Amino acid sequence: MQTLDITDNQQPRNQDPFLVIDGVSKVYPTPRGAYTVLQDVNLTVYEGEFICVIGHSGCGKSTLLNMVAGFNRPTSGEICLRSKPILRPGPDRMVVFQNYSLLPWMTAFENVLLAVKQVYSDKSKEEKIKIAKDSLAMVGLTEAMHKKPKQLSGGMRQRVSIARALSIRPEVLILDEPFGALDVMTREELQEELLAIWREHKVTALMITHEIDEALFLADRIVMMSNGPAANIAEIIEVPFARPRNRKAIADDPRYYSLRNYILEFLYSRFALADDAE
Ligand SMILES: Nc1ncnc2c1ncn2[C@@H]1O[C@H](COP(=O)(O)OP(=O)(O)OP(=O)(O)O)[C@@H](O)[C@H]1O
């Protein structure tokens, strides 16, 4: 695995390994025999980092993050959080999916409260209500909190999903293409909100995206995966832009274009799919 590092002014990060993916492979049984999706994936994530994962469709990004979430177990290798193996889902790791996954018959407030109740069974009713309301306020949804998902825009629904995930104060926030279904303006607004929340909550974020600009705006490091079968991490890019980030300043930075071109080259030349090469 290569690491491209054009960093010049990064803050030193806490060097204690926080989330460690160690020699992870995943094999799915299929009617046509065993299918190796991931082979020998290794990654150390540090506390408070923002990691974006990029790779072609089907290379195994969701498979990898689902194992970090604990929805799925590695066939071999191990994933540890603070040195403890991840064996199942837990409130220390919350996931935000692309398709909102809100319960349609509940209001935004009730959706968040449900998560709070599941995790904070020891808190009083008033405390739980306050946590749910504060979480919705954090994403600017106080006014709309009594609306049901159908009455909310796509961006608002995704804000509810983020509020729900963060309401229980996870250590790791896993985001599987959370903004993929949103229009460009809403997507950019949510990226900025997500960065503000990430900074304030000091959560460690792992996010799958297909958008190079999104990864360059959000990530400390971009993990680039090879194509499957038997995909793994081909390269990691350190993103050098100072925080808090400003979209315009990044766009004016000549390093932005070299990084963008580098990633494009990775995806559409070095790891091009058959269709891309046509
Ligand atoms: N339960 C399963 N059984 C068999 N094969 C599976 C299973 N889940 C995923 N796969 C296969 O594993 C591969 C990786 O899937 P995965 O969803 O992890 O890819 P991805 O990189 O997240 O794709 P996308 O970007 O399109 O979401 C795909 O070929 C998929 O068909």
Side-chain angles (χ1 to χ4, degrees), residues 1-4 56 224-227 233-237 258-259 261-274 276-277:
M1 187 207 312
Q2 296 177 38
T3 299
L4 177 76
H56 284 293
M224 304 205 292
M225 299 198 52
S226 64
N227 298 332
I233 297 172
E235 194 156 335
I236 298 177
I237 289 185
S258 32
L259 284 171
N261 287 337
Y262 191 84
I263 299 170
L264 280 170
E265 222 256 330
F266 174 94
L267 287 174
Y268 300 108
S269 177
R270 286 168 55 201
F271 286 90
L273 296 177
D276 301 330

Side-chain angles (χ1 to χ4, degrees), residues 48-165:
E49 262 196 299
F50 201 125
I51 300 279
C52 280
V53 181
I54 277 195
H56 284 293
S57 185
C59 72
K61 303 178 295 295
S62 299
T63 299
L64 183 64
L65 265 53
N66 283 342
M67 290 191 285
V68 175
F71 298 146
N72 214 335
R73 293 277 292 276
T75 309
S76 59
E78 191 173 56
I79 305 182
C80 290
L81 181 62
R82 293 189 188 281
S83 308
K84 289 208 189 94
I86 292 173
L87 305 175
R88 59 189 71 83
D92 51 355
R93 287 153 286 128
M94 287 299 286
V95 185
V96 176
F97 296 101
Q98 179 177 354
N99 56 4
Y100 317 122
S101 65
L102 300 173
L103 297 174
W105 60 90
M106 287 188 171
T107 64
F109 169 71
E110 288 164 344
N111 265 284
V112 177
L113 187 64
L114 183 68
V116 174
K117 278 181 178 166
Q118 281 166 350
V119 174
Y120 291 126
S121 50
D122 54 328
K123 292 202 188 286
S124 70
K125 188 176 166 194
E126 290 69 31
E127 282 174 306
K128 288 182 222 170
I129 289 173
K130 181 171 177 346
I131 293 170
K133 285 187 175 169
D134 287 352
S135 305
L136 284 160
M138 170 186 76
V139 294
L141 280 184
T142 300
E143 299 288 304
M145 72 176 173
H146 296 303
K147 291 190 172 170
K148 292 191 177 156
K150 234 178 19 192
Q151 301 166 298
L152 300 172
S153 68
M156 288 161 105
R157 279 184 241 165
Q158 211 48 321
R159 284 190 175 92
V160 179
S161 300
I162 292 170
R164 180 177 59 179

